[in-house]
Amino acid sequence: MFSFHKTPRLLASTCFGILLAATPVAGSAEQAGYYGYGESPTDEQIAAWDIDIRPDGTGLPEGSGTVDEGMAVYETHCASCHGAFGEGMGRYPKLAGGDGSLAEDRPEKTVGSYWPYASTLWDYIHRAMPFFAPQSMSDDQVYALTAYVLNLNYIVDGDFVANKETLPKVEMPNRDGFIWDDPRPVVNNERCMKDCKDEVAVSDSAEGKNLTPSTTGPLDEGLIE
């Protein structure tokens, strides 16, 4: 029997069916594999993220800073954490000192005792300091601060001017103290799928070479507290 009450529902069902049929057609307009997320970065956006400075000074910007200028920057942005003379405060690390301590049980890894390159000191200060507002300093301030920290460690004289020509020429005390070859063995064993050994014994590891010293459990063999 015909019913007037079914007419609105019939029209709604018909319209909904048309919409469903039309939806795949609209979606197929994009190419396969297109997800619609993000967008291609511009050259300016890539340049903003490309801030690394190489050991040979590649990437250092224009600008300069003196030791005296760096002292003012240091007192404003750094002394509250690293101390007035780079001696460290609380859990914040020392920046100066530690000469000849790297072979001791408690080495002091400072700019003067540990860092191999002055240009990468500029990189670190630029990208990570001050702790509470990283990347907030100008290039000239970073140059000045780098010069001052080097002077705190008696690596450069008080009249030193840091810029992209002078920093790569600074000879850091620990420049030759690093071994750049990776001592870890290259292991490319195939997975055993049949007739495998019942027991497997670990014959060598990085831990025994003091490469990954334990900090939460007992100290590795060879390390003395």
Side-chain angles (χ1 to χ4, degrees), residues 159-211:
D159 59 352
F160 177 75
V161 179
N163 55 45
K164 68 177 185 180
E165 283 79 27
T166 59
L167 278 185
K169 298 176 182 177
V170 174
E171 291 286 342
M172 301 293 282
N174 195 41
R175 182 164 185 160
D176 298 325
F178 284 79
I179 299 174
W180 300 109
D181 295 332
D182 191 343
R184 295 173 295 183
V186 177
V187 179
N188 295 314
N189 292 331
E190 294 183 3
R191 176 176 296 180
C192 179
M193 302 302 292
K194 63 178 181 179
D195 300 329
C196 302
K197 295 180 179 178
D198 295 331
E199 296 182 359
V200 177
V202 178
S203 60
D204 198 3
S205 72
E207 188 175 14
K209 296 180 174 61
N210 290 342
L211 296 176

Side-chain angles (χ1 to χ4, degrees), residues 39-123:
E39 60 184 8
S40 298
T42 65
D43 292 341
E44 290 77 13
Q45 289 172 324
I46 293 175
W49 283 98
D50 185 15
I51 61 173
D52 67 299
I53 308 299
R54 305 299 173 83
D56 63 0
T58 300
L60 282 170
E62 298 292 340
S64 65
T66 67
V67 172
D68 288 343
E69 292 167 343
M71 181 171 62
V73 177
Y74 183 89
E75 290 175 346
T76 302
H77 298 286
C78 315
S80 60
C81 295
H82 296 290
F85 303 99
E87 71 274 22
M89 298 278 285
R91 297 180 63 86
Y92 292 100
K94 296 181 179 180
L95 301 180
D99 301 342
S101 69
L102 296 184
E104 298 177 357
D105 297 334
R106 295 291 187 182
E108 293 185 353
K109 296 181 179 180
T110 69
V111 171
S113 70
Y114 186 70
W115 285 65
Y117 303 109
S119 56
T120 55
L121 173 61
W122 193 101
D123 179 297

